[in-house]
Every structure is written in C-alpha cells, then in structure tokens.
Amino acid sequence: MTTVAVTPDPEITPKSADAALGTTRSDRVKRRLTSRWATLAAIIIATVWTVPTFGLLLSSFRPADQISTSGWWTFFSDPQLTLDNYSEVLFSSSASSPQLGEYFVNSLAIAIPGTLIPLVLASLAAYAFAWVKFKGSSTLFVIVFALQIVPLQMALIPLLQLFVTFLQPFQTALSEAVPFISERQFLPVWIAHAVFGLPLAIFLLHNFISEIPSEVIEAARVDGAGHGQIFFRIILPLAMPAIASFAIFQFLWVWNDLLVALVFSSGTPDTAPLTQRLAELAGSRGENWERLTAGAFVSLVVPLLVFFGLQRYFVRGLLAGSAKG
Amino acid sequence: MASPGIPALGWVTPALLLAAGIVGWPLAGVLIATAAIAFLPDRIRRSARLVAWLLGAVAVVVSSVVVEAGQEQPVGVWPWAAAAGLSVVGVLGYFADHDDDSKPMLVFLMPAALLLTVGLVYPALRTAMLAFTDRTGAFNGVDNFVWMFTQPEALITLGNTVVWVVLVPLLSTVIGLAYAVFIDKTRGERIYKMLVFMPMAISFVGAGIIWKFMYAYRGAEQDQIGLVNQILVWFGQQPQQILQNSPWNTLALIIVMVWIQTGFAMVVLSASIKGVPLEQLEAAEIDGANPWQRFANVTLPGIRTSLVVVVTTISIATLKVFDIVRTMTAGNFNTSVIANEMYTQAFRSGEPGRGAALALILFIMVLPIVVYNIRVLNQQKAIR
C-alpha cells in the first residue's frame, strides 16, 4: 500500500496572486491549527490503544511478587526484569502449572491444516465459479455467499453429533489398529475450521480470480490447455497475493479461535490449543498474574509475528474483502 | 487404549485419512453416483442421472435409519439430510447434462460443495429443528422461545446483545474514522496505523487477559496493579470492582471489543479516504469550505459504501462475540450475551434445545444483514 498520494500543492494554482496569497496564508494557519489538534488527538488514541498491550508485556517480565503487589508503571522507578515467568509457563514440570509448550504445538497442529484444507478447496471452487460456465453458477455462488453469514453457532450442536456418530468410531478403530495413533485427534477441529472458513474463502478468492484478464485464459485454451493446466499454471501463480492474504486471515482466525476448540477438542493436553488453556487459566486462577501475563504473550507471539511480518498482505486481504462485500 | 502419542505423529497420520473421514458412507455413495454421471457417454448420461439420484437417496435414507435406530432420537430430521444429499446430486447431475465443462466443474466444486452441505447447511437446518425440542429431544413447541423471552436472566442476555450491537459498531467506526482522518498524510502514518491496527491480530482470549489486567482490582488500602483503577485512585476516587458491578461491567467488556475492531474500521476507511478525488476537495476548498465542511460534504459521501461495509462487518462480528465474555466474566454478573449463553445452555447445562433456540435468534438477527449484502452483491454483479 502506498501511503503518500501525489498531492498537487494548492499554492501553485491560484487564480490571482493577491487573493491567493491571502487565502493560502489564512488557509495555512487554519490547517496548521486543526492539524495540531488532530495530531494531538491521534497521539492520544494511539497511546490508549497501545498502553494495555505494553503494560501486559512489561508485566510478563517482572518478578512474580512484584506483579502482584505493584503496578507495572512502577517499573520505571524500580526496574527489575526476569525470564522466570516464561520458563515456568512453558517448561515447568509440576502438574499445577500451565505447561504451555504442549498446547503451543497443538495450536500449530490445528492452525496449519486448518488453514491449508479450506484454502485448497476454496481455490478450486473459486476457479469453478469464476471461469467454468455452467447453469446456475451465479445462484450457487449467492448461496455460498449467504452461508458466510450464517453464524457458526447455528451449526455447532448437530456437527458435534455428526462427529460423534461417524467420526469417533472411525477414530477409535484406527487407534486400536495402529497403536501409536492417539484416539483423540485433531480431525474434528480441522473439519470444523474448514467448514466455517470455506464460504468467506470462496467469496474472496472468487473476487480476485474472476478479475484475471480473460485474454490470458483464452490464450491458454487456444493452446490446448485443459482446466487442470489452466488452474495450476495460470490461476494459482496469478492469484498468489489473494491466496496469501486469505491464508494469513484464516491462520490468525484459527489460531485465535476459542469456541470451535471448546466444542470440538477434548480439552486435554493432547488436542487443546493455547487459547483454550489460557481461557481456563483466566477463569480458574485469575489472580496468578505472573502466569497469565507470560501465558498471554506466548499465545500472542505467533499472531504478532505474522502481523508484523506479513502486514502488507494482511491489509490487502482486508481491503479486498471489505471493498467488495 | 491409545498411547498418549507424540503430537507430531498424532496429526500427521490422520491427514492421510481425511478424505475418508469427511465422507461418511452415504456421501461416498453420492460422490460415486455423481462422478459416474460425469464420465458416462452422453447417450446414457441422462438416464444414469436418474439412477444416481435414486442411489444417493437410498444411501442417505438407509444410513439415517441405521443411525436413528442406535441413537433413540426423534425421527423427522433425517429427511433433511436426504434432501440435502439429493439436492447436491441433483444440482450437479443437472449441470453435468448440459455442457462440456461439467467434468472439471464437478472435480473443482465437489469437495467444497460436499463439505458445506454436510458441515454447514445440514447442521444449520437441524439446529433450526432442535430449537423446538426439550432436553430429552421431544418436541415441545415454542417453549424454548417462551423461556427466552420470560426468564429475567435470558432477557438480560438479549438486552446485553442489543447494547453490544449498537455500541460496538458505532464507537469503533467513529473512532476509527476520526483517527483515519487525523493521521491522513501526516508523517509516520504507517506507524500510527500499525499501533491501532495491532489488536486485530491479537486473539479475543489474549485481549480478554490484557484488559482483565487493566481492570484488575485491589482493596483501597493496597497499591493498585490495574491501570484503570490506579487512574481512579490518582483522581482521588475509590477503586472499583469493574468486572463485577452491573451494568458498568458490560460497558467494560464492550470497550475490549471496540479496542479490537477500531483498527479494522480505521484501515478500511483510511484506504477509502485516499480514494476520494482530490479535485473535489480542491473545488470545495476554492469555494471557501472549511476543513469540517470539506469532510462532511465531500469526504463523507465519498466513503459511504466503505462505511456501510465496515458497520455491517463489525455488527456481524459483534453479534457472534463469545470469547471476550467467556474469558473475562464467563457471563456472570449480568454480562452474558446470546453467543455465550448459547454455549452455556447447549454444552454446559445440557439444554441443547435452548441453545439451538438462542442460535436461531442469532441467525434471525443476522438475517437482515445477509439480505442487504446479497442485494449489494447482485448490484455489483450487474455493474460488472
């Protein structure tokens, strides 16, 4: 995204020199005044928006006894930092501590397939909607679009029943046949995330893919390329920016999700993601701030890395989604 | 019994079995039937389509009867599943008859169509029916809805949801718009944007913890560790149990959501503001409009579509909000909202009927937004 637009200087295009001088001078003063207040307001908003996160980050590095007795702002008069909180929440072997290391792995194991599965299915479907002419295509597309806004709460209870009826026996049989596969698996969570991510993914990718110039695709067709070749050789490379930005979205969404995890994962260290463990900690031991602050930051590391590293794609995906829908 | 398993192994292996897991066998039947249509010679395709429909229908009905027998659940929901399966076969089979693109169309569209039908359409219909049953699964008419609109606790939940859905989009959009205007074309615009946008990347659970810490309460005689209470103390006030005092605790939770959503509003509106034609702004300036008039009469109309998009998107997100309430108060102290209550009723209190009824209400509240968005979509399609 370009942030600086090319602005023609208003002072260059005055009608008469005198009038221009007068207006521009008063204008300049007025603009400076308003912009001064505006800048102040902007700084205040930016501060209010940043301080909560900053306070928590600073706290997570303070010794436990200090967190619970004094505010993090006293750090500036009495600076003391430690990594103990992190080593405790991540690696401690005592049963009462959070041991977030395992949950961190679970979160990754949920988020990566939870991103890839809907992405693959959606790009296939988006291509079909955009470039394969068939009757009822637009009706079907509107239906998919409408599904996007069905709250996922509507699907939870029956979906869980479906999983229990069909998937569970299958998983149990599998783990009995192959002993080293755990009976509790991520399969239900992956499928749930794929289902809930699909409508939006199809919609966004369709918007992008349908705007690829038709000459490109027709040229390929003339050369004898089939749908498969067009999809892999032309659509996928050209749609990479859109795919990347949606991938970031879906990844963040899955990583940050709590509801799907609560309903479809078991809540044990086998399959529960970080968010679930953290929500538990916040509820049951709301006063153990040294664990909560460090734990919260462990869960924030990946999304913040993704955010700062891939910000451009993130913003682009956001704009693609909102400018159209 | 299974070994606890190394996480890495636990999830690699089932990946191979994903396809088999997604399609229960009635759906496998549907899949084979439709695939069969696509690859048959043209002459017999038409009649094969009919056979495939019948096969799919039989597969769905037989499997539902089997499940039904083992589950002791009321008959009457499974015809929906049969209808859903049939419609997939029917619709796709119909296309298959009509043009040469049908084969790739089936391959490209089938997986997503199957997953959406089984995972979203069917469960949503089933939830709608579940809303009219009691905890034993027997039909009980509109009792769940009567409960919802008569019990004080349930009424508070509905009221809170309304407050949320009014305040969050309003505040986020206004603050986001003001901020976008203030920082437009200033130095360091990117950093300004990043600071306010950052909460978007943070999970609702993480945000909940961050703000729980902000609101943390200590008795008046102790040092405060929560910034909000410390500020109260600095101004000579008593520290408050912010998350426990109704109705202010709902407002405290709403602030968290606003904190998250403002960045979204700001980024979208900022991009939209940059799209307002400079000529119009200059023309207004030459006509002697002051900055406020320029904003109200030129910029604001220019970004109207984006404003609508931002407000609807945030409204939908707000209606579904669950994690913040769950993490910060778990819905206690009169702070519950529909999405949280739905979870509590269905998965904690063993009242799936009530949970489904709440989900249905949520859907009805979102419905106007769906209709509006479909209209916008159709208009855009017409333009394109």
Side-chain angles (χ1 to χ4, degrees):
Chain A
M1 247 186 53
T2 52
T3 46
V4 184
V6 187
T7 322
D9 195 326
E11 282 166 296
I12 302 177
T13 51
K15 280 185 178 163
S16 87
D18 275 344
L21 255 182
T23 52
T24 50
R25 192 167 295 153
S26 69
D27 246 21
R28 223 186 285 146
V29 172
K30 205 184 286 169
R31 197 173 298 154
R32 207 173 284 157
L33 255 180
T34 51
S35 83
R36 195 168 294 156
W37 286 109
T39 310
L40 185 68
I43 290 174
I44 290 173
I45 295 178
T47 314
V48 171
W49 253 250
T50 318
V51 158
T53 318
F54 175 75
L56 194 83
L57 176 65
L58 193 57
S59 290
S60 68
F61 287 107
R62 299 179 72 218
D65 55 324
Q66 289 208 353
I67 298 179
S68 54
T69 53
S70 63
W72 52 266
W73 47 93
T74 52
F75 166 82
F76 296 106
S77 52
D78 174 25
Q80 283 189 47
L81 293 180
T82 170
L83 284 172
D84 288 354
N85 302 330
Y86 284 93
S87 70
E88 200 202 319
V89 295
L90 278 174
F91 309 115
S92 162
S93 53
S94 86
S96 63
S97 59
Q99 295 163 315
L100 291 181
E102 281 179 74
Y103 294 92
F104 191 89
V105 176
N106 288 344
S107 270
L108 275 180
I110 289 174
I112 292 171
T115 306
L116 290 180
I117 297 168
L119 208 60
V120 170
L121 299 188
S123 46
L124 288 172
Y127 169 71
F129 279 127
W131 291 106
V132 184
K133 288 196 186 77
F134 58 93
K135 247 188 168 181
S137 158
S138 55
T139 316
L140 215 55
F141 184 66
V142 167
I143 292 174
V144 171
F145 177 79
L147 284 180
Q148 177 190 327
I149 323 178
V150 173
L152 67 89
Q153 279 87 351
M154 274 292 280
L156 289 181
I157 307 172
L159 199 57
L160 188 65
Q161 287 171 345
L162 276 184
F163 283 148
V164 171
T165 335
F166 290 107
L167 216 51
Q168 206 126 300
F170 168 77
Q171 285 178 295
T172 313
L174 186 72
S175 86
E176 270 163 12
V178 192
F180 65 84
I181 298 178
S182 164
E183 193 176 341
R184 301 196 176 282
Q185 291 160 357
F186 298 111
L187 208 51
V189 189
W190 291 345
I191 296 174
H193 279 304
V195 169
F196 297 136
L198 262 181
L200 181 65
I202 294 177
F203 176 67
L204 291 185
L205 294 182
H206 166 270
N207 282 345
F208 193 91
I209 289 175
S210 66
E211 273 167 21
I212 292 173
S214 58
E215 293 83 28
V216 179
I217 287 156
E218 265 147 32
R221 253 183 222 152
V222 170
D223 289 348
H227 281 291
Q229 280 175 313
I230 292 176
F231 180 75
F232 284 109
R233 300 252 173 93
I234 298 176
I235 302 289
L236 272 192
L238 286 181
M240 242 345 150
I243 293 178
S245 63
F246 178 76
I248 296 167
F249 257 103
Q250 177 74 2
F251 182 85
L252 286 180
W253 194 76
V254 174
W255 183 276
N256 289 337
D257 156 81
L258 175 66
L259 181 57
V260 174
L262 273 180
V263 177
F264 296 114
S265 91
S266 58
T268 61
D270 280 354
T271 50
L274 267 177
T275 44
Q276 190 174 348
R277 182 66 181 145
L278 273 178
E280 235 171 78
L281 285 178
S284 62
R285 296 193 225 139
E287 298 304 299
N288 281 353
W289 284 112
E290 74 280 3
R291 285 174 183 159
L292 266 184
T293 51
F297 259 95
V298 169
S299 83
L300 296 189
V301 165
V302 171
L304 285 184
L305 279 182
V306 169
F307 171 74
F308 284 117
L310 305 171
Q311 213 197 128
R312 273 165 134 219
Y313 292 106
F314 190 32
V315 171
R316 196 182 294 170
L318 197 68
L319 296 179
S322 53
K324 299 268 170 57
Chain B
M1 247 329 272
S3 63
I6 308 159
L9 284 178
W11 60 267
V12 167
T13 326
L16 300 172
L17 297 149
L18 183 66
I22 295 173
V23 283
W25 75 266
L27 295 161
V30 171
L31 186 66
I32 293 163
T34 3
I37 303 171
F39 296 101
L40 277 173
D42 289 351
R43 278 180 299 131
I44 44 173
R45 207 191 258 167
R46 226 164 261 264
S47 49
R49 189 185 74 203
L50 252 177
V51 176
W53 280 24
L54 289 177
L55 275 180
V58 169
V60 171
V61 170
V62 165
S63 64
S64 56
V65 168
V66 169
V67 171
E68 209 61 17
Q71 279 236 318
E72 295 182 357
Q73 266 170 359
V75 195
V77 285
W78 284 98
W80 285 106
L86 267 178
S87 59
V88 173
V89 184
V91 168
L92 294 176
Y94 178 75
F95 299 142
D97 262 351
H98 278 268
D99 61 274
D100 295 336
D101 276 335
S102 55
K103 283 179 217 167
M105 202 276 292
L106 289 176
V107 175
F108 282 96
L109 215 51
M110 184 62 108
L114 268 182
L115 206 55
L116 282 177
T117 315
V118 182
L120 205 56
V121 177
Y122 161 73
L125 292 174
R126 174 108 198 225
T127 297
M129 310 194 72
L130 206 61
F132 300 95
T133 61
D134 66 12
R135 59 191 307 161
T136 62
F139 180 79
N140 71 347
V142 292
D143 282 6
N144 293 323
F145 297 92
V146 171
W147 164 81
M148 198 187 305
F149 291 107
T150 50
Q151 289 294 306
E153 303 89 47
L155 276 178
I156 287 172
T157 303
L158 291 179
N160 282 343
T161 305
V162 173
V163 175
W164 274 78
V165 87
V166 171
L167 281 185
V168 174
L170 186 75
L171 292 176
S172 311
T173 311
V174 169
I175 299 174
L177 179 60
Y179 190 73
V181 173
F182 292 158
I183 64 167
D184 197 37
K185 293 178 192 122
T186 57
R187 221 186 301 156
E189 185 178 344
R190 282 188 55 178
I191 295 167
Y192 274 125
K193 272 188 180 167
M194 211 150 79
L195 291 179
V196 170
F197 189 48
M198 193 181 61
M200 276 290 289
I202 295 176
S203 67
F204 286 3
V205 175
I209 292 177
I210 287 176
W211 280 89
K212 223 179 158 181
F213 195 58
M214 287 288 284
Y215 295 143
Y217 166 82
R218 286 283 177 285
E221 67 284 355
Q222 289 171 293
D223 283 336
Q224 295 300 317
I225 65 166
L227 186 59
V228 175
N229 270 322
Q230 179 65 58
I231 290 172
L232 281 180
V233 170
W234 276 332
F235 281 96
Q237 306 289 314
Q238 287 290 312
Q240 300 292 321
Q241 303 234 22
I242 298 169
L243 289 176
Q244 295 181 19
N245 298 339
S246 175
W248 303 109
N249 48 8
T250 293
L251 202 65
L253 299 187
I254 286 175
I255 287 175
V256 181
M257 189 67 175
V258 172
W259 182 71
I260 293 172
Q261 296 292 343
T262 299
F264 165 76
M266 183 267 296
V267 167
V268 175
L269 295 176
S270 168
S272 177
I273 286 171
K274 291 186 192 307
V276 174
L278 278 169
E279 298 78 35
Q280 289 181 17
L281 283 170
E282 274 167 27
E285 198 175 351
I286 291 166
D287 290 346
N290 65 33
W292 168 253
Q293 288 168 328
R294 285 204 298 273
F295 172 74
N297 298 325
V298 183
T299 310
L300 217 47
I303 60 171
R304 222 191 92 234
T305 11
S306 298
L307 270 177
V308 172
V309 168
V310 166
V311 171
T312 53
T313 313
I314 297 181
S315 304
I316 294 174
T318 307
L319 274 175
K320 299 194 227 172
V321 74
F322 163 79
D323 321 40
I324 293 177
V325 176
R326 196 88 209 153
T327 319
M328 294 184 72
T329 64
N332 297 319
F333 318 114
N334 294 336
T335 54
S336 197
V337 291
I338 290 182
N340 179 64
E341 197 61 25
M342 180 262 156
Y343 177 81
T344 310
Q345 291 295 336
F347 298 104
R348 287 283 173 267
S349 316
E351 294 272 8
R354 288 182 181 174
L358 285 161
L360 195 60
I361 290 290
L362 200 60
F363 177 69
I364 290 168
M365 290 173 87
V366 178
L367 203 60
I369 308 177
V370 183
V371 174
Y372 179 78
N373 274 276
I374 289 176
R375 276 183 53 194
V376 172
L377 181 75
N378 278 338
Q379 281 165 8
Q380 278 170 352
K381 279 218 151 175
I383 294 166
R384 217 185 281 153

